[in-house]
Amino acid sequence: MDALASLLEGPRARGAFVMCSLLDPPWSLRIQDQAPLTVVSMIRGTAWVMTEPGGKPAAPRKLSAGDVAIFRGPDHYTLADDPATEPQIYIDPGNVTKTPDGEILCETLSLGTRQWGTNAAGATMMVTGTYESAGAASQRLLRALPPVVVLSRGDLDTRLLDVLVDEATKDEPAQNVVLDRLLDLVLIAALRAWFARNDAPAWYHAYSDPLVGKALRLLQHNPAHGWTVASLAEAVGVSRAALARRFTDLVGEPPMAFLTEWRLALAADYLQESDATIESIARQVGYGSAFALSTAFKRHFGVSPRDHRQGATPAELSSAG
């Protein structure tokens, strides 16, 4: 498993929200849905992106046809035809669409299957794919991203966007599954292009290191193994001290700290995605008992495995961690 593949193990779309927006200027959308990850593909026209990282407005960024923007939640942001256009529509959690006065517009602006806006032939068309939940295993990816990533038309294969647009407006059997996979493809293509640039964090390049990369793959592929720094060093063919030093320098944390975070992230995902017992999950991710997993899980996330399974959200996990 390469670096990007391992990062993307978490945020696979499952019933993602996909919608085509068709708008005529002036328009401005204030997005405050708190989704962990959103992909916006510009199909025609232009848009301006306004974000406020850390509560301070950043310089507006322009999106042209063929560009893709990735937004890391839960921060709010604005998309508009012009930076000076005041928000006219607010999009709240659950993709509830409202006017500034609170009037719900979901039905008023409907233009057909997964289409909404002010004009079916609008000068601006963009497709939005929202990951309404992201697995705990994807938190490393989310932490690696800035509030917004913009890829220009030449950075990725726009044929994916054409297929996504075509499928977004269909209502065929298993259409949601088709859209989930297409959204994943667009996200992967965009992230692959972004990580190929110098924007990638230092630890991303650790996967290409002959020693640390091998160690990372061993830990991720075999989380149930009783790893120690010594056994990991022996497996990659270096001394314990050399591996510990190089791993920490390139990844940003010691090998066992990385392994603990990976095991607990996998456990969090398994708890939400399967009916397996906590005891069984504990053994799958390298803990000797349900008690051992529960102790580590609550220390790391602030909630017990049982409470997480019964309703704690990935956002709560992220903030607790």
Side-chain angles (χ1 to χ4, degrees):
M1 183 183 294
D2 64 28
L4 187 54
S6 67
L7 290 172
L8 290 170
E9 278 300 291
R12 284 192 293 263
R14 301 176 184 89
F17 178 83
V18 177
M19 183 67 69
C20 293
S21 300
L22 300 152
L23 302 158
D24 274 331
W27 60 270
S28 179
L29 312 177
R30 179 64 175 170
I31 315 299
Q32 45 194 34
D33 59 5
Q34 301 184 33
L37 199 65
T38 300
V39 181
V40 175
S41 304
M42 289 300 303
I43 307 304
R44 65 173 180 260
T46 60
W48 287 88
V49 175
M50 280 72 73
T51 58
E52 301 107 37
K56 297 180 180 179
R61 303 181 68 173
K62 187 177 183 179
L63 298 178
S64 300
D67 293 351
V68 171
I70 303 170
F71 296 92
R72 185 203 66 204
D75 294 346
H76 302 172
Y77 57 94
T78 301
L79 289 166
D81 70 305
D82 186 277
T85 304
E86 291 293 324
Q88 302 162 341
I89 298 172
Y90 289 77
I91 300 178
D92 290 341
N95 291 290
V96 176
T97 307
K98 298 180 178 178
T99 67
D101 295 330
E103 177 188 352
I104 295 178
L105 295 171
C106 299
E107 296 300 324
T108 305
L109 296 179
S110 176
L111 295 173
T113 303
R114 299 185 192 87
Q115 297 181 80
W116 77 279
T118 58
N119 181 0
T124 300
M125 180 180 185
M126 54 189 175
V127 178
T128 300
T130 303
Y131 289 76
E132 296 182 300
S133 65
S138 71
Q139 294 304 319
R140 180 173 289 271
L141 168 64
L142 296 179
R143 290 197 301 268
L145 296 175
V148 59
V149 170
V150 175
L151 284 305
S152 64
R153 183 181 182 89
D155 290 332
L156 67 162
D157 191 339
T158 55
R159 290 177 297 178
L160 288 173
L161 305 185
D162 295 336
V163 177
L164 180 61
V165 173
D166 183 54
E167 292 290 338
T169 56
K170 291 181 179 178
D171 191 15
E172 302 288 342
Q175 194 65 22
N176 286 341
V177 177
V178 171
L179 291 172
D180 282 350
R181 298 293 74 80
L182 282 172
L183 180 58
D184 286 342
L185 285 173
V186 172
L187 174 65
I188 290 169
L191 289 176
R192 186 165 57 185
W194 184 71
F195 275 105
R197 303 187 326 208
N198 293 328
D199 294 336
W203 57 257
Y204 173 81
H205 299 292
Y207 286 87
S208 61
D209 182 86
L211 297 178
V212 177
K214 184 177 180 181
L216 283 166
R217 291 178 179 87
L218 285 171
L219 295 177
Q220 290 187 308
H221 291 175
N222 306 282
H225 185 75
W227 292 109
T228 63
V229 177
S231 66
L232 187 62
E234 182 179 0
V236 300
V238 295
S239 72
R240 180 181 181 279
L243 176 64
R245 181 173 56 253
R246 189 166 183 82
F247 193 104
T248 303
D249 287 345
L250 295 183
V251 179
E253 60 185 339
M256 294 302 100
F258 175 90
L259 177 60
T260 296
E261 181 181 346
W262 180 246
R263 283 171 166 170
L264 294 173
L266 290 175
D269 286 349
Y270 291 156
L271 285 163
Q272 290 194 327
E273 296 170 2
S274 77
D275 295 325
T277 65
I278 296 175
E279 184 76 29
S280 172
I281 291 173
R283 298 190 184 282
Q284 286 184 66
V285 300
Y287 285 89
S289 66
F291 177 78
L293 172 62
S294 296
T295 300
F297 197 96
K298 189 163 186 178
R299 183 188 307 120
H300 186 73
F301 289 125
V303 294
S304 70
R306 192 177 307 278
D307 288 342
H308 170 56
R309 171 170 270 174
Q310 293 176 349
T313 68
E316 289 169 334
L317 287 178
S318 179
S319 61

